[in-house]
Amino acid sequence: MAKQQFAMVIDSSKCIDCKGCVISCKVANKVPEGFSRNWIKASVPAFSMGPRTRTHFQPGACMHCDTPTCVQACPTGATYKDAETGIVEIDNSLCIGCGNCIPACPYGARFRNTAIRKADKCDYCPERRAAGLLPACVDTCPTKARVFGDINNPDSEVSRMLSRNKGKVIKIVNAQTDTKPNMYYIGETAPTDWTTAAVVPASMTVMKEVSPLIKGIVGLSGLGVLAMLGRQFLAGSSDSHEPEHHDEEARHD
Amino acid sequence: MTRLFKRHDKSDIFIHWFNAACWLLLLVTGVGLIGNPDIDPVGSWYPDTLRTLVGGGGNLLTIHVVIGFAWILGFLWYLTVNARGAAFFLREVFMVSPARDMAWMIKKMVLMTLGPKPLKMIGMAPELPEQGFYNMGQKAFAQASVVGGVVIAVTGVIMFLSDKVFTAETAWIVSWSVTLHYIAVGLVFAGLLVHVYMAAISPEERPGFRSMFTGHVPEDYARHHHGLWYREISSEPAAKGE
């Protein structure tokens, strides 16, 4: 378990769909047009007579999962779960933009940033945290629907919220791919059926499947070399060269 | 005095050792760029250590890319100064005479590992069919190196261009390049182990190994190891030169 586990605890009933979090994130992280690191989803409105008509808004972003399928799909380790903070990070200098991680996220939290042409997603605003500020979306939220902190620290606000709401904490999990997300919704939330099963691209699956085969071929080759070395030392000079040589010469002459 | 036969040009010798040095460095840095327990060839300690040594995975990637481009440029240089040598090499390497060369390959593998007895036991003569400028083992590894080298270079350049020209829609080409790069290196490396043993460690090929420095092989080596080539050249230059 990570020493810290930064997480978001969200009371989605407080969300008024103002999209302040989406905009502040785009500004803070210079997210290119047409993309967003976070979102607000809405349930299908339950139309009825008058005041009972209602809908539910649900803020979200990368859930910094405990078993992140995006990390499993990354060939270089450019995306990894930080052992100190529990944050799923992207090392841009090591990311080659292969795109494997994007369909591997059941939450669609990743996209290929058109400006840097590499994977992008929520990283809990490291520059702001270094300056002692909260992530932009949390700071901006006017109703404080989004709360951020370390759930491994029992004194944090997120930990207190989780213990106060024991039994009423919901995680949004895909039926086929449970990535053990670290985004906690308090009370009730909707919609919950919008995730997709993680898809690891065929290129990555092929690489994983042929990997033992390649190791086997290299191993066989190494064994062959060892066998030749063994013969070289045991049978003396493996040159049975000389007699053969003369035979041949005799034949040629 | 034993007659010497020219086998390699200075540019051939240079490109061979240049390639060897690049491959060694590219292998050492490249294996460190694989950071996924499902495909790590030697375990995650290796990429972790190497990345720490050079100050991060990003630096390691830069080093790998720079050496990779130097390697490609080296070959482009070679092709401009010795296109004829390259053409000769490719022709010799890809011209296989199936019956003769397969028999050579199978017998040689048995002879090198088990000795002549098993061949005699199944009633095969342990003598090897005569070979040309390259024997079938050399051809096989050279074919793998040429095809593998092209695949490695092309996929490497694609990965380099990923964050310069590729888009979300075309990133699948980058992803498959990673896979092909990985497979090609693995297969060529398997062949490389045998190449290094045969050329540098096995006593039999010592004169061939020396020729990769001097460019020449002695007559009896040429006759014994490359009989078809020997007969071709021993008549020509001998008649003119010596």
Side-chain angles (χ1 to χ4, degrees), chain A residues 35 70-79 91-100 102 111-112 114-118 201-215 217-219 221-233 236-242 244-249 251-253, chain B residues 32-42 51 56-59 61-62 109-116 126-128 130 159 161-169 171-172 174-176 178-180 182-187 189-194 197-198 201-206 220-221 223-225 227 230-231:
Chain A
F35 296 95
C70 55
V71 170
Q72 292 162 18
C74 177
T76 67
T79 201
D91 178 352
N92 265 336
S93 67
L94 190 54
C95 175
I96 53 173
C98 73
N100 281 2
I102 293 167
F111 55 96
R112 201 178 195 265
T114 48
I116 57 170
R117 296 178 190 263
K118 289 175 180 183
S203 46
M204 187 67 187
T205 314
V206 165
M207 185 152 57
K208 288 185 180 190
E209 273 163 16
V210 299
S211 181
L213 188 71
I214 297 217
K215 282 182 200 171
I217 292 170
V218 171
S221 168
L223 275 178
V225 167
L226 284 180
M228 292 191 285
L229 259 180
R231 190 175 153 72
Q232 180 182 333
F233 289 121
S237 160
S238 66
D239 284 35
S240 43
H241 216 184
E242 289 315 308
E244 261 175 47
H245 193 161
H246 291 301
D247 285 0
E248 241 175 276
E249 239 170 335
R251 267 210 319 270
H252 287 227
D253 292 339
Chain B
L33 287 169
I34 305 167
N36 186 314
D38 293 332
I39 51 173
D40 277 346
V42 289
R51 289 169 192 197
N59 290 347
L61 179 58
T62 307
M109 291 206 286
V110 177
L111 287 173
M112 289 299 289
T113 51
L114 304 168
E127 282 76 30
L128 293 165
E130 280 195 307
M159 287 188 271
L161 292 176
S162 171
D163 61 351
K164 285 144 197 92
V165 299
F166 282 84
T167 62
E169 289 70 37
W172 62 272
V174 179
S175 180
W176 275 105
V178 177
T179 307
L180 290 176
Y182 178 85
I183 294 173
V185 172
L187 295 180
F189 178 68
L192 186 63
L193 292 177
V194 178
Y197 172 80
M198 293 298 292
I201 301 169
S202 162
E204 221 178 315
E205 286 288 333
R206 210 27 65 76
D220 64 331
Y221 171 85
R223 178 170 45 215
H224 179 64
H225 287 260
Y230 172 75
R231 263 183 281 149

